[in-house]
Amino acid sequence: METLYLMVQILSLLGLLCGVLMFWSTRKPPAKEGNQPLPALSIIIPARNEALRLPPLLKSLQAQSWKRFEIIVVDDGSSDHTAEVASSYGAKVLKCKQVGKMSPGKSNACAYGAQSAKGEWLLFFDADVQLAAENSLERIVNSFSKQEGKGILSIQPYHRIVKRYENLSVIFNIIVLTGMNVFTVWKEKFATAGSFGPCILCDKESYIATGGHEAAEESIMDDFALSDVFIAKDLPVTNYAGKGIINMRMYEEGPKQLMEGWTKNLATASQSTHKFVMLLIQLWILGVIMAALSPLLAFLTESSVALFCSIVVYLLYGGHLYFLARRAGNFHFIVFLIYPFFILFFTAVFLYSLYCTHVLHSVMWRGRKIKV
């Protein structure tokens, strides 16, 4: 029993080390430097039944200190008041039409919006995001100008938690950031796995040259496929974390939508993560499980020292996980105390996502059956 306990403790500490290495730091778009001129911007928002989520985004756009942009909301077959809400905030509303041979969905809506855009730069926003500060938009476009206004700049929004069940997304949000390969201790040593779909900024010239969403529409992960077509043309793809710049509220309709959303995204996205980074993530998750088992094994050894050490390791893991969680969103302190439960939930959804992706070859999202 003592040997088993020692092995569990070693795996726990190894997993903790992997957690530090896989999510070493976050990087944010740099602050504005100088007064360089910026081209006109077209903000494109694909929207399907988003009447409740659009107002916070549109209000935050109205409050921006930099105003040289147009707002295009593409109504993708909504059955609610999406179009009316968007119009009331001064947005240009387009009734989505098929682009080429594209299938209905977000990619088609983005491509259709891009066709009507007048700006030199295109900024694709999900309807559930919200700019966090008055200078957020200016900071985003200034950051893009620093990469010479070419390629893609994407930002993962800070997850704003409102209801308790939304804390179930905690491990997913951590993995979304770490799985992009660029937040490890090695930074840009590994090529980016893709881009963050809720906020993607690109120049129109590159978008047209690569084929944009139309070239990427075969994938249910439009953000990953879009970055792939840009990288294929040797165009840069840069990713940032959005704390203090852009927020999002995910899956506010309830746990069912949360399950559907992560099932749709998880298995497909994980295929783009670098194998070494994926190994770090797997060892980190294993370490969480070992840290949870450690106090039980220590109790069976009847050693008070072993029990004390196990509790210390459990709390260390919880503290580190909570530290990572707060980089991704305003997750509740309960994450620190019962984090093994959240790991088990993540694992169950991930396995179900694999089943849907590789066996059923389809997932459900917003009432549509999407082929994988």
Side-chain angles (χ1 to χ4, degrees):
M1 184 62 68
E2 287 81 4
T3 302
L4 179 60
Y5 167 77
L6 183 60
M7 289 179 61
V8 167
Q9 285 289 69
I10 291 172
L11 288 173
S12 299
L13 294 174
L14 175 62
L16 189 59
L17 174 62
C18 290
V20 172
L21 296 177
M22 76 180 189
F23 200 176
W24 180 256
S25 65
T26 56
R27 57 178 183 175
K28 300 177 184 178
K32 180 182 178 182
E33 294 179 4
N35 295 304
Q36 64 269 37
L38 297 169
L41 177 71
S42 293
I43 298 173
I44 301 166
I45 307 168
R48 178 176 170 83
N49 295 330
E50 302 287 9
L52 296 178
R53 278 174 291 273
L54 276 173
L57 170 57
L58 297 177
K59 285 179 183 178
S60 69
L61 286 171
Q62 288 181 339
Q64 292 303 295
S65 56
W66 185 73
K67 304 284 188 182
R68 199 179 174 202
F69 59 86
E70 64 171 346
I71 304 173
I72 300 172
V73 174
V74 184
D75 184 5
D76 186 21
S78 299
S79 57
D80 64 1
H81 300 292
T82 291
E84 292 86 342
V85 169
S87 295
S88 70
Y89 285 93
K92 178 181 178 181
V93 179
L94 301 178
K95 192 79 171 179
C96 190
K97 296 180 181 179
Q98 184 178 8
V99 176
K101 297 181 179 180
M102 295 184 72
S103 302
K106 179 183 174 182
S107 290
N108 183 74
C110 288
Y112 186 68
Q115 288 183 347
S116 300
K118 298 178 181 177
E120 296 175 49
W121 290 354
L122 309 176
L123 176 55
F124 298 94
F125 272 150
D126 281 357
D128 57 1
V129 306
Q130 180 182 3
L131 295 169
E134 291 182 359
N135 68 340
S136 291
L137 190 56
E138 186 176 18
R139 188 168 176 179
I140 293 169
V141 294
N142 270 288
S143 299
F144 190 54
S145 70
K146 291 182 179 180
Q147 64 183 57
E148 299 180 355
K150 295 291 182 182
I152 285 177
L153 181 150
S154 77
I155 302 176
Q156 175 65 5
Y158 191 71
H159 193 168
R160 185 172 60 88
I161 303 300
V162 177
K163 296 181 180 179
R164 291 181 181 178
Y165 77 85
E166 295 172 37
N167 285 285
L168 290 170
S169 289
V170 59
I171 305 300
F172 301 92
N173 280 134
I174 293 173
I175 300 301
V176 162
L177 286 165
T178 56
M180 203 58 76
N181 301 332
V182 296
F183 299 109
T184 71
V185 69
W186 297 277
K187 298 180 180 178
E188 284 84 24
K189 181 178 177 63
F190 303 120
T192 180
S195 55
F196 296 121
C199 174
I200 294 178
L201 173 60
C202 64
D203 64 294
K204 192 173 185 179
E205 182 182 350
S206 297
Y207 184 84
I208 294 172
T210 60
H213 284 91
E214 192 170 1
E217 79 99 15
E218 291 299 323
S219 173
I220 64 168
M221 295 294 291
D222 62 287
D223 43 1
F224 281 73
L226 186 63
S227 63
D228 286 344
V229 299
F230 272 70
I231 292 171
K233 296 287 186 179
D234 294 322
L235 292 164
V237 175
T238 306
N239 297 313
Y240 294 105
K243 185 176 182 180
I245 299 170
I246 182 170
N247 301 324
M248 66 178 172
R249 172 104 188 271
M250 298 180 70
Y251 311 133
E252 61 186 275
E253 287 88 346
K256 180 182 178 182
Q257 193 201 35
L258 184 148
M259 285 278 294
E260 282 188 357
W262 289 120
T263 298
K264 175 176 72 76
N265 296 334
L266 201 57
T268 303
S270 67
Q271 297 174 34
S272 299
T273 301
H274 191 280
K275 290 181 180 179
F276 182 70
V277 178
M278 181 58 73
L279 176 63
L280 293 177
I281 293 171
Q282 291 169 342
L283 289 174
W284 176 67
I285 292 174
L286 177 62
V288 172
I289 297 171
M290 294 299 102
L293 289 176
S294 182
L296 175 61
L297 291 176
F299 179 78
L300 294 176
T301 64
E302 300 181 353
S303 169
S304 57
V305 174
L307 183 60
F308 175 78
C309 291
S310 296
I311 293 173
V312 168
V313 170
Y314 183 90
L315 295 177
L316 276 174
Y317 237 110
H320 179 252
L321 193 149
Y322 183 65
F323 171 72
L324 298 184
R326 295 294 289 191
R327 285 177 169 177
N330 63 325
F331 292 97
H332 195 276
F333 187 73
I334 194 70
V335 170
F336 168 70
L337 299 175
I338 58 169
Y339 60 88
F341 166 77
F342 295 98
I343 284 287
L344 289 175
F345 178 75
F346 167 82
T347 303
V349 175
F350 181 67
L351 292 175
Y352 181 62
S353 181
L354 288 174
Y355 172 73
C356 291
T357 302
H358 299 288
V359 178
L360 300 181
H361 301 293
S362 65
V363 293
M364 290 297 298
W365 180 240
R366 293 196 179 280
R368 286 174 173 164
K369 187 175 184 179
I370 303 173
K371 293 182 179 180
V372 180

